[in-house]
Amino acid sequence: MTFSSNNAMADYIATSRIAAWNVPDLSQDTPLRDITKVGVIGAGTMGGGISMNFTNVNIPVTIVEQQKEVLERGLKVIRTNYQRSADRGRFTREEVELRMERISGALSLDALSDCDLIIEAVFENMNLKKQIFSELGRVAKQGAILASNTSALDINEIAASTKRPEDVIGLHFFSPANVMKLLEIVRAEKSADDVVATAMQLAQTINKIAVLVGVCPGFVGNRMLFKRQGQGQKLMYKGVMPWDIDAAMNVFGFKMGNF
């Protein structure tokens, strides 16, 4: 696809963003599940960033880690991020404390028993994720949405490890999760309509641009990046400097180039 001008490209992007919210086979009157408390499994870069999206909009979060020192380190990073924003004048120092008060830490999945949405944000290991979701089937209350932040793994396989696959969906945030706008919502084979509808609405609540995708290798974002990176590599092999490739991508509209 080519564009005659930057304005034409901007119009195309704007139209695509509007279309992304439209889910043709999902009724407009599909009931939504209430999301008043969120659980996040993992206090690393992704888990911390994901948590901030919810505390930013006054939704309390419980973060679970296996080790106390890892949990404390993750909470410290969140505080540092908020403090940096306050130092830049984006909000007051009092707001830093208010947002931090919405976050609690725990060392057991049992602490997530009252959460309406639980997001798993551990590293990309299928066996580990299946183990966690199997345990969540026991821990989570009925009606809770069980989400994985996986960037490429099979959500259907993850969902099969629970006795309630209809509650399972993929919520793939991009790093840094508290900054990047895109949220891939991965609809699994048995994901209930109200789970999909709630995830789409929740994306708007936390100021994300949602794209509903199916289960496939790399979903949408990574599949695009794989192709883009492949073409960039070919250009380098032909002698084009990586910074020139990045510059061309920036001119096209990408904020970050391949390299």
Side-chain angles (χ1 to χ4, degrees), residues 25-199:
D25 60 344
L26 194 66
S27 173
Q28 293 290 329
D29 58 1
T30 301
L32 303 179
R33 300 191 187 188
D34 291 331
I35 305 297
T36 59
K37 185 175 182 181
V38 173
V40 175
I41 304 171
T45 300
M46 290 306 300
I50 290 170
S51 299
M52 292 175 67
N53 287 295
F54 296 99
T55 57
N56 289 347
V57 295
N58 203 27
I59 297 177
V61 175
T62 297
I63 304 178
V64 171
E65 259 295 350
Q66 289 184 309
Q67 299 177 335
K68 183 178 180 180
E69 56 270 26
V70 177
L71 177 61
E72 291 176 346
R73 183 165 62 244
L75 294 174
K76 183 178 180 181
V77 170
I78 294 174
R79 176 176 287 278
T80 299
N81 288 336
Y82 278 142
Q83 190 61 55
R84 186 180 297 116
S85 294
D87 292 341
R88 292 173 178 171
R90 293 177 180 172
F91 46 74
T92 65
R93 297 182 186 277
E94 289 74 18
E95 181 65 22
V96 173
E97 299 305 321
L98 287 174
R99 297 189 186 195
M100 289 304 301
E101 287 174 3
R102 297 170 193 148
I103 303 175
S104 59
L107 300 176
S108 170
L109 292 178
D110 290 331
L112 306 179
S113 61
D114 62 342
C115 292
D116 304 300
L117 165 66
I118 301 173
I119 304 173
E120 164 271 309
V122 303
F123 58 89
E124 294 286 75
N125 180 285
M126 176 59 84
N127 289 334
L128 175 60
K129 290 179 185 288
K130 288 168 69 173
Q131 178 183 342
I132 289 173
F133 273 78
S134 177
E135 186 68 9
L136 287 179
R138 176 189 67 81
V139 171
K141 67 180 183 180
Q142 289 301 312
I145 296 175
L146 311 179
S148 175
N149 180 56
T150 181
S151 60
L153 296 180
D154 189 335
I155 297 293
N156 289 325
E157 185 174 349
I158 294 173
S161 65
T162 77
K163 293 182 178 179
R164 40 171 134 167
E166 68 280 0
D167 292 332
V168 178
I169 197 166
L171 293 180
H172 177 213
F173 293 78
F174 288 75
S175 184
N178 54 305
V179 176
M180 299 296 280
K181 286 288 190 179
L182 179 61
L183 174 61
E184 288 183 326
I185 297 176
V186 189
R187 176 194 242 165
E189 182 180 344
K190 295 184 179 180
S191 298
D193 283 351
D194 63 341
V195 170
V196 176
T198 301

